[in-house]
Structure formats: C-alpha cells, structure tokens
Amino acid sequence: MADYEIFGLGDVVLQSRATIRGAKLAFKTFGNLSPNKDNLIVYPTWYSGQHYDNEWLIGDGMALDPAKYFIVIPNMLGNGLSSSPSNTPPPYDKARFPNVTACDNVRLQHRLMTEHFGVTKIKLVTGWSMGGLQTFHWGALYPDMVERILPFCGSAKCSRHNFVFLEGVKAALTADDAWQNGWYDKPPTKGLRAMARVYAGWGFSQAFYREELDLKELGYSSLEDFLVAFWEGFFLPKDPNNLLTMLWTWQHGDISDNELYQGDFDKALGAIKAKAIVMPGQTDLYFPPEDSEYEVSKMPNAELRPMPSIWGHFAGGPGLNPSDVEFLDKALKELLAS
Amino acid sequence: MADYEIFGLGDVVLQSRATIRGAKLAFKTFGNLSPNKDNLIVYPTWYSGQHYDNEWLIGDGMALDPAKYFIVIPNMLGNGLSSSPSNTPPPYDKARFPNVTACDNVRLQHRLMTEHFGVTKIKLVTGWSMGGLQTFHWGALYPDMVERILPFCGSAKCSRHNFVFLEGVKAALTADDAWQNGWYDKPPTKGLRAMARVYAGWGFSQAFYREELDLKELGYSSLEDFLVAFWEGFFLPKDPNNLLTMLWTWQHGDISDNELYQGDFDKALGAIKAKAIVMPGQTDLYFPPEDSEYEVSKMPNAELRPMPSIWGHFAGGPGLNPSDVEFLDKALKELLAS
C-alpha cells in the first residue's frame, strides 16, 4: 500500500517542448481542507528527497499542524515517485527523460491545487533547498494566489557558484564507466559513492566539521563512518538518471526564465506579492546569505531572517538539529499568524 | 636544458618506514647566497605546482628580490620533479610510491639547506596553500633556525572539513575505471576532468563567481569556458598518481604528527619561535580564517592578517589578482624588514 496518491496530469508539454505522456504527480496530504478551502499549505520536496523526507516539519503543535492546515507535499518530477526517468515507459525513459524546469514543476503542482482540490488561495508555500526554489516559483508565477512564502536554504535562481558546485557533483557521478550515458543496467555505484563524497564537503559547514558534530550530535563513530554511512548510504539507493534530472532542474532554476518575466530576474522578484520570510542558513556553502539578501532587496513584502546555525545547508533539513527546527518553526508560526 | 637543479638525497627512510632509494629533491634558486649565509629564503611549492608556478612572487623590487635574497624553491615530493610516482623506478613506482608526509618533505628540504648550502639560519619561509603547510612545518621542526614565516592560505594541520573536500576530489579522480588503481597506461582523463570540476567550486569563492571575475578579470568567454580551459586544462596534463601522492600528504598534514610533538598540536604551535604573519584568505573555502585564528592564538610570536579578497583560495596564488599580490608582498616586506 502506497502512503501517497497520484494525480494524473495527462499529456504534459514542458517548457522545453518535450511532452511527458500520461504524466504523474505523486503527493501526500496531511489534515483536511477547510469548508471554505482557505487553509492549504504547499510544501514541495528537495533534491533527491521524497515526500516522507519532508514530514519532520509537520506535527501536532508545530506550525505545520494537520489539525489546522491542509498540507500537501507534491513530489518533484524526477524524484522517482512523480514522473521520472526511472518510472516513465519508453521511449521517454531513462536517459531520454526530458529536461524539466522548476517552472514546469510548479505549474503542474498548481493544476493539482486548482483542478483537484479546487482552491483559489494558498495560505503558505514553504520548502527547503530545491523546495525553496519551487517556493519562490509559486510566489512569482501565482502572485495573486499565494499569500505567504517561506523558502529556507534555497534561492530564486541558481547562482553561478552553485551551478559550479553541481558540475562537480555531476562529473563525479558520470566519471564512472558503469554510468554508460544513462543506459546502465546495473547502477554506477562507484560514481554514486564519489558523488556522495563530493557532496559531503558542501552539505555541512567548515565549523560543523571543526566541532565534530558528525560524531557528537549525529552519533557517527568516525569521520569515515559519516562519509560511508550517512553520505554514501544516502545516494547509493537512488537512481542516477533521476538524480541527473533533478540536478538539471536545479542548475536551471530561475523564477524569471519563462514568458511572464522573459529573464528579468528583478521584475520576477518584484512581482512576488506574498508576505515572505526568506531564510538562508548563515553558514550554507551553496546558498550563501548574500544571495538571499539580494532577493529580499527586490521583493516588496519580504524579510531576511538567516538561521544562526553552523549546520551549513543542513540547518534547513531534514530536521537533524533541534534548535534549527525550532528557529524555523517559530518563523513559520509567526508568518501563518500574520 | 632543465631550469632547475637536483639534490641527491641517497636512500631516504620516510616517517612511514618506507625507503625511497636514490631520492631526489629538485629545486631552483634565485639570487646569491651572501658571504655570511644569512639571506636564504625558502619558498616551497603547492598542491600539484612546480617551482615555475611559484615565480610570480619573485622579482626586482618585490619582497622576494633576488638582488637581496637567496631564494630557494624546493619542489614537493610527488610533484613530478622531486621523487614522485611518475619518475621513481620500479619497484616503488606508480601506485607503489610510498606515502610521504609534509614532515618528510621539510626534513629533506632542511638537508638541502644545511648539507648543500651550509646555512644555519633561514631568513624566511613562505608559501601558498600546501606551501603554507610546509612553512608551518619549518617553523615547528626547526624553531631555532627559522627566523620568520609567512604561510598564506594554508594551515598547520589539515582540518576535518578540508580532509572531506579532498575526499571528494579523490573520489572523482578515482571513479574513472581507466584509473585502474594507479596502474594505468593511458591517463584516466575522465577522472582528471571530473576532479577539475569538483575543484572549481572550492578554489574560488561564491562572491568571485557572483561577480563574474572568471569573465571580467580572468578573461574567459563563459563559465563553461572557465571550467574547461582553466580547470580541466590545469589538471589534465598532470599524473594521477602524483596528484594522489600529494593529496595524501595534504590530508595527513599536521606539524605535531612526529616524535618531537607526539600529536600535541598546541605544543607544536607554541614551539614556533619565528616571527610570523599568518595570512588566510578572507573567503577561502577550505582554509577558512577561523582555523588560522586558532593557530595564531597558540603561537608566541604571530600576527593574524587575513587577505581582504573575494578570490577565495586563489587570493594566495598564483599571482592572478594584482591587489592580492600587492597585499601579500607588502606584508612580506614588512616581515623581512623587522
């Protein structure tokens, strides 16, 4: 029994003009939609994550409280549950799965919210990392519909440095001959492990490693144990084509790269009417606070509130550090109450 | 005609108890040793660099002025000129080349300075990155001999985060099947290119990429051009076993990992009598200023002087940014005058 539902999208034409035929959006809901349909929260997934990787932020007494809100977690295209290289039939399967943008993702999510749930207002959109990217897209693509956004450890556009970091991740994964340009029968495990080791230096901050929080807080027995058990263990089970699809989505994320804003990034930021708290991690190595600062300066109704944490990008998820979760939850409560 | 000399070291027993038989130390000198042998400057090389990659800091009117000083650039073991996997005859060739520590390197350099040049005092030791690591070793291993040190964008011990960054670099290089555990006939070019892309995100800061200094200052035609021409072009010609030897040296760098200090890092720092300016790069992602701050706090005669630069690790070399070179040169002049 799957713990999630599937919304059939039919034939979907993407920004690239490729078509995913019989496209699927997998989602999970928490709580109930109110009679006047005004309590919906959208909470998109992050790079390689699936809906269950988001659940740590939902609970009784938390900001995302299912007793009050109807919380929908849509799975990103490429994450293995929504339409992905790993679950799409030929001829668009595996290495032929088309490039998907964050804009594509959010437009399909919008169809779920309007066609399936019939809402006209969204109380809040929030998400971590690529979930933050989708959150910004919600604000820019549907400014009259989205009342509040709280993107955390994410950005409205992939920065050039972030792009380069991802080039390294991709190069490590695809250096393995077993990758075979995506036509592998057996997964390129050497490449997946290499990718994991590359990611390890980026995910947490210098101070995190200096303070040995991998050992003292996360309980690993050594640095090497952390690299193998946490990092390699994280990426090894994942499908490489799925990972590369989402990586492309990330690298090409830009709220203005569509016919509405024609590449005018400042205009797209300025169009976000939602009341916003933009929350970078103070020590995030690939979404540095300076990028968020710029975004907030161009948004009419936004506050910059960095997470004072040495957990790097992982200050934002997935719920590893209780004091970071508390900081985030408090801001979400404040925003929802406003 | 080689532009450098070779000092024959004979059979060298390393810290690991392996022996390099007929070991060689390649070096280049600038200027002349004064009659009372009191003007020698040691300027060790950096990861993958050779002596000619150090020459940008030497010149008429600069701090490292050959008219005043006798400047010796010793090539690090593993860099292809001194004893290395690529130039050592069987059976210690290629993948069998032994692990070499920074301590091994500096002890052999010390033999060059004492046995060959006959000096008893060193005016200054300075170096970038792994050259900085060797600089710290000079200070800790020969405290009565070394009068001044100026390590820039380096550290006295490889931090845990720096170690993890290098794990990613290593994993990318060795994910290529063509690597063949070091017994390649043809170089693993896919792995070398992957390593280069991984390195690219670390070498320069987020702000460097944000400000597009790859285009505006370094003159590349696009971000991809920078990744191919600068980064892949840098690593492709290098021998992978050499790179892995120096990477091991870097990862295991620690001025206290020897019989003198028995792993007591604070004691080793405290033993450095040299007048020191420790110069991290303000935006260096793998030698963050916080690590240098700690080192300086334990050194009796040291000043912390971060480079106010957005060039990341490359604030320190190899002479890419004129204002960084000026900042460094000024500090070297001041230190030499003291």
Side-chain angles (χ1 to χ4, degrees), chain A residues 167 177 190 197 209-210, chain B residues 167 177 190 197 291:
Chain A
E167 280 299 298
D177 285 349
K190 217 166 32 164
R197 284 195 181 238
Y209 284 105
R210 188 183 302 120
Chain B
E167 280 300 297
D177 286 349
K190 216 165 34 164
R197 285 194 181 240
D291 292 329

Side-chain angles (χ1 to χ4, degrees), chain A residues 255-287:
Chain A
I255 56 169
S256 69
D257 189 12
N258 48 63
E259 70 290 352
L260 276 179
Y261 302 111
Q262 313 262 352
D264 188 337
F265 185 53
D266 289 357
K267 187 178 171 191
L269 287 169
I272 300 175
K273 292 183 183 169
K275 187 171 167 64
I277 297 177
V278 175
M279 188 174 285
Q282 196 69 66
T283 57
D284 193 325
L285 289 171
Y286 43 97
F287 292 110

Side-chain angles (χ1 to χ4, degrees), chain A residues 160-161 164 167-168 171 175-177 190 194 197-198 200-202 206 209-210 212 214-215 223 285 288 290-291, chain B residues 160-161 164 167-168 171 175-177 190 194 197-198 200-202 206 209-210 212 214-215 223 285 288 290-291:
Chain A
R160 296 174 88 245
H161 177 264
V164 172
E167 280 299 298
D176 187 345
D177 285 349
K190 217 166 32 164
R197 284 195 181 238
V198 172
W202 290 109
Q206 297 96 340
Y209 284 105
R210 188 183 302 120
E212 303 188 344
D214 48 323
L215 315 183
L223 182 54
L285 289 171
E290 290 78 8
D291 292 329
Chain B
R160 296 175 87 245
H161 177 264
V164 172
E167 280 300 297
D176 186 346
D177 286 349
K190 216 165 34 164
R197 285 194 181 240
V198 172
W202 290 110
Q206 298 96 341
Y209 284 105
R210 188 184 303 119
E212 301 187 347
D214 48 323
L215 315 182
L223 182 54
L285 290 170
E290 291 77 8
D291 292 329

Side-chain angles (χ1 to χ4, degrees), chain B residues 35-56:
Chain B
N36 47 1
K37 301 192 171 191
D38 63 354
N39 71 336
L40 193 146
I41 293 176
V42 183
Y43 177 25
T45 59
W46 38 276
Y47 182 64
S48 90
Q50 299 180 336
H51 59 267
Y52 50 80
D53 298 309
N54 268 17
E55 298 184 12
W56 56 274

Side-chain angles (χ1 to χ4, degrees), chain A residues 112-125:
Chain A
L112 173 67
M113 307 311 158
T114 53
E115 297 173 20
H116 188 66
F117 295 121
V119 300
T120 55
K121 291 282 175 190
I122 307 271
K123 189 89 175 173
L124 167 76
V125 186

